[in-house]
Amino acid sequence: MKRIWILLSVLALAAAVAPFTGPFVILLLAQILVLGIIAMSVDLLLGYTGLPSLGQAAYLGVGAYLTAILATKFGFGLGWDFWLVVLMGMAAGAATAGFFGLFAIRASGVYFLMITLALGMCVWGLAYRWNSVTGGDNGINMRGRPKFGIELANDLTFFYVVLGLFIASFFALHLLVSSPFGKSLVGIRERELRMRILGYNTWLHKYIAFVIAGGFGGLAGVLWAHLNGIVSPVDVLLPASVDALLMVVLGGPGTLVGGLIGATVVVFLREYLATMVQWWQYVLGAVYVLTILYLPGGIMGLFKGGKA
Amino acid sequence: MREVTLEVSPGERKAIIGPNGAGKTTLFNLITGVFPPSSGEIILFGKEVTRWPPHKRTALGMARTFQITSLFPKLTVLDNVLLALAGVGRAKLVMWRPLSSYEKFQNRARELLDGAGYWDRRDVQVRNLSHGEQRQIEVLLGLASDPKLLLLDEPAAGLSSGESREMAEFLKRLDPSLAILLIEHDMDVVFDVVSSISVLHFGAVVEQGSAAAIKRSERVQQIYLGTG
Amino acid sequence: MKRIAVLIAGLAAASPGISQELKIGFLAPMTGIFAQIGKDMENGFQMYIDEQKGNFAGAKVTFIVEDEEGKPPVGVRKAEKLARQDNVHLLVGGLLASTGYAIAPVSNRVKTVYVLSIAAADDLTQRDLKQYPYIVRTSWTSSQPHHPLGKWACENGFKTVSAIAADYAFGHEVLGGFQKAFEDCGGKVIQKIWPPLGTKDFGPYIPTIKRDADAIFSLMVGPMALQFPKQLQEAGIKKPVIGGGTSYDEFVLPSMGDEVLGHVSALQYSAALDTPKNREFVRRYREKYGKVPSYYSESNYTTAQMIHEVMKQTKGKWPGPEKFIQMITQLKLDTPRGPVRFDDMRNPIQNIYIKKVEKKKLHGYDKDELWNTVIQTYPDVSQFFTYKKEEFLKQPVYSRDFPPCKHCN
């Protein structure tokens, strides 16, 4: 419980200082929160269920492309119906995961990694190749953010909306991981066979977790599209999935909050280190390797052993 | 396995003994549904369950423990038991309510842990318990779902003789209506706990009978007790 | 990757009037597979600044380079950073067409000029121009050099062409432009093969090239450009090859071998241009960076010159984005690539050179090298070539399926 209060205070602090951070930092903060949502969805799989997904960007892509296509081709989702798009993005992410899960959940460990990677590449291929719908290599430029009484085109307003959705996602996932279902995921991570003997249909539990993670991936995608104003096949590419996975590893798997911490570190390192030195990627790489070697609990592990 | 016919009646306490590699654990895996049998059938509480997955058999009232401790090492003693409790029934798919808010589970967990003397240490991670303690939790997890049939795979494995005796006492105290199928090498425990014994050798049942009769059987002496 | 390239010349005291500042945010790939091209881009721009000792008519130039990694979303983020955090007056650069498409809307959001010094996406200065009041292009549209190339091919006796082009927007637009002009003059494109961007093994594609075609049209980029002619030669195919601009530009040419001799391509620039202005440019560039300038270098060098010319007119005072766009499009300049002015859709009108790869000594260098010898010049070519602007804009942007391949079967 203490951890939640710390998180809420940090977020409240961020909300309070946001108006004074300057026009670029506010974008970075929003970016961190969106990445925080996708990282939490990866954490649900990796940290709680023990499924290392390398295809999470696929669901982000589905949500983002859906948002961009609805907005540019049908003018849909630029007013109050933005909230409908949020729901549709989640549904689309979940549906995609529901389909992919049929293949992926049969595997575990490194095979799960490979299958999710391959499925992610399918979505990339579709984004890249299906020119008439996705704009192919050029991607889709959005014309502007929604407005409904408030104008999301204002970066500060947009940040608050993203913050709200992040907090909602966090509480939903936090409740989920402490529920009987959430605890069953941890049991599956720890010892799947025992769970089956105890009466759990472990396939179903993993499948449902996979679908839920896809849903939150889709949500992140809707916000991602509006954040950048462009959706591009690069967003769906493998490095995006790897980033999400590494953010969780860096922040601390099985903690939910860890994803946000990982996203913060990665975003700031990437933006500011990249401005200073050309070999910033090696620094980031070294940070990852050192974390994996010496901090198996991630940054959260530094503050007393996280309780799964 | 071949031509194994085994029956356990309600409340019966039966042991399966046999030398290493006789197929005892394999038999358990068939009964619980970890592997499907290539032929034959398995009937549980009057239902044909030969092709059922493990979780459905558990729902019928079967439970099992493992020869090699199969707990959730990074979870607390309480969480281990709660997971076992939630395994039967519908609550396991609930996502919108904390597990800690289910009073029936909490009360039952307290009952079980109090009975075994672990309530004070409910928040200790299982991996920090001694081997003997882990074996007891292993059995507790088997009991948690209130089974009608409990399969115990060498509950006394790796225990000292004192601990084994404690384990036997513990098993004897269990609800008499619970049927137990026990695999065990420690013959003191076996003769202490069960009334009938089946002897397994090279995947087949070679001898069945009351504990006393098996103790006297020459053939059993030969293949198992004498040489073992 | 910020490099503040302010060359306060040793004689700061002797250069009076540096009281104002011009901040230029430059976007080019500095890491990843396009890093070397990004270096060419940066070098071209940097060389011009250095020649002016960092002083554009009284404004001190602050040149900030950001790595866009060749990825559109990264380009967007970096453009936002340059505009919002560094408060640059102009954004310049962006390599890939897709990056250009992505950054254009940013220029609206941050109300900052965006000079497309490389990114060639056709529609930015065609059907989409109205949406983007703050952009201007100083380079070319993908199809611009390839309209004349199509006409040239047709007029030089090629009747049927089999085309193989990288499968992405730039490839579609290059081939589209070639096909349109070629077929309008009577030629026939009888086949289109689309290997994915980044293909290195053309084994599956080369045998499918139709044997009865008079020539092969190829559009390659980067490493693809090196591999395709080699593998074509190994397969024993001796048909004439006509290529899109990037198939033989000076960025790839020095790494090529004799297999490309005689191949023809088109672009608004060739390092082999025999004009005093270009000879001088090549000499200085080669002295400074040890290599022949590519169109990536020339285009950015010229872009810097254009910005300087505007600043001359304002005496070093930043005129504001709207006024800047208006002023830069009024320029008529003599540049290394030749005379350049702008059409009313903010894209250059310039010479297009039909070039043939030859091995020879040029510009006084003593070694035999590969050069893009100009064999024909189409003067003052606009992005609409000889077509009427209104009618041209009525057709859809060139794509995989447009113009349709009527003669393929």
Side-chain angles (χ1 to χ4, degrees), chain A residues 129 141 155 271 274-275, chain C residues 1-2 77 84-85 101 167:
Chain A
R129 285 277 171 162
N141 275 334
D155 291 317
E271 291 308 325
T275 301
Chain C
M1 233 265 18
K2 175 197 242 167
R77 227 167 51 225
R84 290 161 183 255
Q85 183 154 302
Y101 263 121
D167 189 9

Side-chain angles (χ1 to χ4, degrees), chain C residues 218-272:
Chain C
S218 87
L219 185 272
M220 302 289 149
V221 262
M224 293 174 89
L226 298 180
Q227 290 305 320
F228 179 71
K230 259 189 220 155
Q231 295 178 16
L232 203 60
Q233 192 191 36
E234 283 160 13
I237 295 180
K238 298 205 167 60
K239 285 184 196 303
V241 182
I242 304 169
T246 54
S247 298
Y248 303 99
D249 67 52
E250 281 79 2
F251 179 74
V252 286
L253 200 58
S255 317
M256 292 177 147
D258 291 350
E259 71 275 5
V260 296
L261 288 177
H263 291 197
V264 172
S265 64
L267 211 53
Q268 73 277 15
Y269 178 69
S270 163

Side-chain angles (χ1 to χ4, degrees), chain B residues 148-181:
Chain B
K148 289 178 271 179
L149 169 64
L150 178 60
L151 289 81
L152 296 168
D153 195 347
E154 294 194 38
L159 298 188
S160 70
S161 59
E163 287 172 327
S164 292
R165 224 170 303 130
E166 249 177 67
M167 177 64 78
E169 288 305 315
F170 178 72
L171 295 177
K172 276 192 333 200
R173 282 202 308 272
L174 294 175
D175 181 353
S177 68
L178 171 69
I180 290 180
L181 197 54

Side-chain angles (χ1 to χ4, degrees), chain A residues 23-24 27 31 128-129 131 137-138 141 143 155 228 230 232 234-235 270-272 274-275 278 280, chain C residues 1-2 30 66 69 73 76-78 80-81 84-85 98 101-102 105 109 131 167-169 172 400:
Chain A
F24 183 59
L27 282 183
Q31 195 191 353
Y128 191 76
R129 285 277 171 162
N131 259 315
D137 174 52
N138 283 338
N141 275 334
R143 296 277 170 78
D155 291 317
N228 293 336
I230 177 186
S232 153
V234 174
D235 291 327
R270 193 158 60 191
E271 291 308 325
Y272 288 98
T275 301
Q278 212 163 354
W280 62 277
Chain C
M1 233 265 18
K2 175 197 242 167
M30 292 291 143
E66 284 285 352
E69 299 176 28
V76 166
R77 227 167 51 225
K78 298 299 183 183
E80 300 263 19
K81 185 236 162 205
R84 290 161 183 255
Q85 183 154 302
S98 47
Y101 263 121
R109 286 209 284 277
Q131 298 168 33
D167 189 9
Y168 72 126
H172 303 158
R400 226 178 124 113

Side-chain angles (χ1 to χ4, degrees), chain C residues 147-179:
Chain C
H147 289 137
L149 184 63
K151 186 154 189 279
W152 177 88
C154 162
E155 285 173 352
N156 284 268
F158 298 110
K159 299 225 161 27
T160 55
V161 158
S162 180
I164 176 165
D167 189 9
Y168 72 126
F170 175 70
H172 303 158
E173 292 176 1
V174 167
L175 177 51
F178 175 84
Q179 187 190 352

Side-chain angles (χ1 to χ4, degrees), chain A residues 172 175-184 186-202 204-205 208 212 306-308, chain B residues 32-34 54-55 58 64-66 69-75 79 83-84 86-88 91-99 102 138 141-142:
Chain A
L175 183 59
L176 185 139
V177 298
S178 57
S179 72
F181 175 77
K183 296 284 183 185
S184 78
V186 178
I188 290 169
R189 179 193 75 194
E190 293 289 305
R191 218 173 281 276
E192 183 169 353
L193 176 61
R194 185 57 184 255
M195 289 300 280
R196 284 161 64 199
I197 298 294
L198 286 176
Y200 292 88
N201 180 353
T202 56
L204 180 68
H205 285 235
I208 294 175
I212 292 174
K307 199 176 118 193
Chain B
T32 53
V34 176
H55 65 270
T58 303
R64 152 184 198 183
T65 70
F66 290 80
T69 309
S70 288
L71 300 170
F72 309 105
K74 288 189 203 151
L75 301 192
D79 278 346
L83 270 181
V88 280
K92 58 178 173 272
L93 282 173
V94 169
M95 305 173 189
W96 46 88
R97 183 177 156 189
L99 180 57
Y102 283 83
E138 181 79 32
L141 251 56

Side-chain angles (χ1 to χ4, degrees), chain C residues 6-218:
Chain C
V6 198
L7 281 197
I8 310 225
L11 331 144
S15 47
I18 296 198
S19 53
Q20 293 155 109
E21 192 183 17
L22 180 67
K23 275 191 177 180
I24 299 173
F26 194 77
L27 295 147
M30 292 291 143
T31 53
I33 51 172
F34 299 114
Q36 291 310 310
I37 295 185
K39 200 71 204 155
D40 269 24
M41 292 169 64
E42 184 194 353
N43 286 348
F45 207 101
Q46 185 72 57
M47 182 165 114
Y48 188 89
I49 297 178
D50 291 352
E51 283 175 9
Q52 303 305 320
K53 301 193 168 38
N55 178 354
F56 277 10
K60 185 185 84 169
V61 176
T62 305
F63 185 52
I64 307 171
V65 181
E66 284 285 352
D67 177 11
E68 46 101 326
E69 299 176 28
K71 297 174 189 163
V74 177
V76 166
R77 227 167 51 225
K78 298 299 183 183
E80 300 263 19
K81 185 236 162 205
L82 286 167
R84 290 161 183 255
Q85 183 154 302
D86 302 327
N87 296 313
V88 297
H89 296 100
L90 324 117
L91 297 164
V92 179
L95 168 63
L96 299 178
S98 47
T99 304
Y101 263 121
I103 296 176
V106 178
S107 73
N108 283 3
R109 286 209 284 277
V110 296
K111 300 204 168 21
T112 303
V113 171
Y114 173 35
V115 184
L116 294 121
S117 65
I118 294 293
D122 277 14
D123 253 357
L124 280 175
T125 51
Q126 292 176 6
R127 293 158 201 87
D128 291 346
L129 182 78
K130 281 192 299 291
Q131 298 168 33
Y132 305 122
Y134 299 113
I135 67 167
V136 59
R137 173 142 48 200
T138 55
S139 52
W140 57 316
T141 59
S142 318
S143 56
Q144 192 172 4
H146 303 103
H147 289 137
L149 184 63
K151 186 154 189 279
W152 177 88
C154 162
E155 285 173 352
N156 284 268
F158 298 110
K159 299 225 161 27
T160 55
V161 158
S162 180
I164 176 165
D167 189 9
Y168 72 126
F170 175 70
H172 303 158
E173 292 176 1
V174 167
L175 177 51
F178 175 84
Q179 187 190 352
K180 163 117 178 127
F182 184 57
E183 294 192 340
D184 283 353
C185 146
K188 287 177 183 168
V189 171
I190 56 170
Q191 185 181 25
K192 289 186 187 178
I193 303 169
W194 301 106
L197 182 61
T199 300
K200 291 200 189 78
D201 176 12
F202 292 90
Y205 303 102
I206 288 176
T208 65
I209 294 174
K210 285 192 180 158
R211 292 174 179 274
D212 52 345
D214 293 341
I216 295 168
F217 178 88
S218 87

